[in-house]
Structure formats: structure tokens, C-alpha cells
Amino acid sequence: MRQWEMLYERQPLHLDALLLALALMLHLPLLTLHMPAPKKAKGKAGKLVNIDYIEQQIQKRKEQPVVLPPKMPDPPKQIQDMVKKVENEVKKQIFQRSLPPPPPPKPKIQETIIQGPQATKLQEKLLQDKLNQNQNTLQNKGAFQG
């Protein structure tokens, strides 16, 4: 179905006018409100800000006496001895490092060629089983030639 209101792909003007009137009605209470500004104090010239230059700030700090925190009493003798023992143990552990064992020597290429592949027990059993099967099949073939 064709929409005649959207003939030129924009909303009709009477809808725009209606939305403008609605917006003005919603904002009307804001126009009627009166919020008074804060009253200026009589006799005061205004807020002045005092700017201290860096030299003045340094001078003020020099005039103030320096207060040092109270000195802490020395810890008991036993605690000092324990701390020294632990420090010595740590130093010993740090400076007594042992070197890792050297890696095993790599076999030379010629030695590996001479040695050849090394068969394990399982591989030896598999080879023995294959030989037995081959002999059985050869014996069975010979029986049929007969």
C-alpha cells in the first residue's frame, strides 16, 4: 500500500509544527522559573588570591623549625645476633654455588657406524618369531611338492 504522507520521502509540515509546539509546552515551566543569583557581600572588594612566589615559599619553610622524629631504641642483642647469623648463611649460599655436571661426551660418528643398530630383547624375539614362521611356511611348501 502506498503512503501518501511520505510522497517526497520526508514527513509532512503539519507534523513538524505539532512536534515544535509540544517541545515548547514542555519547556515552558523552565522559562517561568526564577533562580536568584548569590548575593554579593557589601563592603568586600571581591575574592583576591594571594600568590606566593617560589622564593617566598622557600623562605617560609626555612623559618619553620625542623622537627626530627624520635630515635628508635636499639633492638636487643639476641635479635641482632640472629640477624647476623641469617645474613652469613645467606651469603654462604649465594657465594658457594656449585657448577652443574658436565654433559656426557657425545659418541663419535665412526663409533656409531661400527656399533650399528642395537637390538633390544623385544626386537630379538620378533626376529626369532619371523624366522620360525618362515621356516614353517617353507616346510609346508616342501610337503606339497611331494
Side-chain angles (χ1 to χ4, degrees):
M1 179 173 221
R2 189 168 186 171
Q3 294 181 358
W4 292 101
E5 296 171 355
M6 301 290 283
L7 184 61
Y8 297 105
E9 296 184 4
R10 69 178 296 283
Q11 294 179 349
L13 289 177
H14 63 86
L15 185 59
D16 288 344
L18 182 68
L19 291 175
L20 178 63
L22 178 65
L24 289 175
M25 285 181 1
L26 289 175
H27 287 85
L28 186 64
L30 294 175
L31 297 174
T32 60
L33 289 177
H34 177 68
M35 290 186 264
K39 295 180 181 177
K40 292 184 179 180
K42 292 181 181 177
K44 289 188 178 178
K47 294 182 180 179
L48 295 177
V49 179
N50 186 13
I51 299 175
D52 289 335
Y53 294 105
I54 295 175
E55 294 86 14
Q56 293 172 350
Q57 291 178 0
I58 292 171
Q59 190 63 28
K60 285 181 183 178
R61 289 184 184 158
K62 284 182 180 178
E63 292 171 359
Q64 295 175 352
V66 177
V67 178
L68 296 176
K71 189 173 182 182
M72 296 293 294
D74 291 335
K77 183 77 171 172
Q78 294 174 347
I79 295 175
Q80 289 179 348
D81 292 340
M82 290 173 63
V83 169
K84 286 182 182 177
K85 286 180 184 178
V86 171
E87 286 177 353
N88 289 336
E89 289 177 9
V90 170
K91 285 181 183 177
K92 287 179 184 177
Q93 289 176 358
I94 291 174
F95 293 115
Q96 290 183 356
R97 293 182 182 167
S98 61
L99 295 174
K106 293 181 180 178
K108 295 179 182 177
I109 296 174
Q110 295 173 353
E111 293 176 1
T112 55
I113 293 173
I114 293 172
Q115 289 177 356
Q118 297 176 354
T120 61
K121 292 180 181 179
L122 181 64
Q123 290 175 343
E124 290 176 2
K125 289 180 182 177
L126 289 173
L127 288 174
Q128 191 64 30
D129 289 341
K130 284 184 180 179
L131 288 174
N132 290 338
Q133 285 178 356
N134 288 340
Q135 288 177 358
N136 288 340
T137 54
L138 289 176
Q139 288 174 358
N140 292 339
K141 287 181 183 177
F144 287 114
Q145 288 178 358

